[in-house]
Amino acid sequence: MPDGNSLYGPLDPAPDAGWTSAGPRMGFFTDTSVCIGCKACEVACKEWNAVPESGFDLLGMSYDNTGALTANSWRHVAFVEQPVPAGHRSAAFAGNPTGGSAAATSAAVAAGTGSTGGTTPGVPPGDPDAAARMASPTTATPDATAAGSATRFLGMPGAAPPGRGTGAESRTDFRWLMMSDVCKHCTHAACLDVCPTGSLFRTEFGTVVVQEDICNGCGYCISACPYGVIDQRKGDGRAWKCTLCYDRLGAGMTPACAQACPTESIQYGPLDELRGRAAQRVATLHERGVPEARLYGHDPTDGVGGDGAFFLLLDEPEVYGLPPDPVVTTRDLPRMWRRAGLAALAMTAAAVAAFVGGSS
């Protein structure tokens, strides 16, 4: 532990919280490269946890009508419509063992010059990584690039809205980035440090849960969270957030969101196992021409000691609305208190000296 400060640095949170018979730390790994934005996780979370409905809001932010994590949205599927500048990078999967460039074949189908034959060109049936390859920002085919063409296929063939053309001349240069966001269940959770009633507690699985029956609605945890996850419910005043389905974990069940995810974008299990699986997935994507793939929240030496829910991203964290370098907000409290104490002692000594000097 750095400097003997238990407010930051690597540790196993459940034993540190006093659980003597805790098993392996459990958590989430969310692979955004295979997220299809179906929002099944949002619905499953609401149904299982009886989270109130949020209303039907048209936020004007693409298809993302949830907006953010709130007291009534413990899972939030973000839709990021991202422009891709011309010449973003060279043709992806040009040496694909499935036979040629997936971008070249898909572009031909979208332009009406190729045939799918009932399957996606260049992607074999049952390939679990197909969604990741289709979601990655592919660029011009080798021949088109050599000819100086800027034509790129950036989405699923024939996926345009009704009445809009799907030919090469009518395509726009953008890609979808989708991510199911959730509470990070930090190793060092500032919300736990500042809660005055003990409403927030660390479970035997290493997760962080709010006991709403003893929450007094002070809101300290809301300002302490470096991710802006926790929220107060209107008309209620208490704090609410993801519990990682604590009741299901105690019964040996998978959290509702991971159970409902059709593409296994949300994976649940022992955190060490998930980290190994995630590192392998990133290496696979790099080999397949997706160099921008990176992990977020997996490092136990980062500013929050690593997250119990971490992500594979296809761009910088800021693109997804995540802080690039989160730090537990209570990390410097011991140092601040020491300095405040020294300042108080100095002021007391100065006052005593002034009093003694004035009376002599």
Side-chain angles (χ1 to χ4, degrees), residues 48-82:
W48 178 263
N49 295 291
V51 179
E53 57 89 20
S54 305
F56 184 70
D57 298 322
L58 296 176
L59 305 181
M61 298 170 58
S62 187
Y63 294 102
D64 179 7
N65 291 322
T66 305
L69 292 172
T70 68
N72 293 337
S73 295
W74 299 357
R75 270 275 180 188
H76 165 230
V77 179
F79 285 68
V80 181
E81 187 174 320
Q82 185 182 62

Side-chain angles (χ1 to χ4, degrees), residues 262-286:
T263 64
E264 296 186 358
S265 172
I266 303 171
Q267 302 177 34
Y268 163 77
L271 198 58
D272 289 340
E273 177 184 325
L274 292 177
R275 285 171 176 165
R277 191 184 307 169
Q280 184 177 6
R281 175 63 176 162
V282 169
T284 298
L285 288 175
H286 287 177

Side-chain angles (χ1 to χ4, degrees), residues 8 188 190 224-227 302-305 323-332:
Y8 68 94
H188 295 281
C225 177
Y227 297 102
D302 66 12
V304 295
D325 188 20
V327 174
V328 59
T329 52
T330 53
R331 182 186 64 178
D332 298 323

Side-chain angles (χ1 to χ4, degrees), residues 111-151:
T113 58
S115 174
T116 63
T119 61
T120 303
V123 179
D127 186 348
D129 298 318
R133 297 203 298 274
M134 297 303 292
S136 65
T138 57
T139 59
T141 66
D143 292 338
T145 302
S149 171
T151 300

Side-chain angles (χ1 to χ4, degrees), residues 5 13 35 58 75 86 88 94 112 114 121 129 132 160 172 178 185 193 220 231 261 283 285 290 300 304 333-334:
N5 184 356
C35 178
L58 296 176
R75 270 275 180 188
H88 181 65
D129 298 318
T172 56
M178 300 173 184
H185 296 275
D193 297 333
Y220 293 165
D231 186 34
C261 182
L285 288 175
V290 190
V304 295
L333 280 179

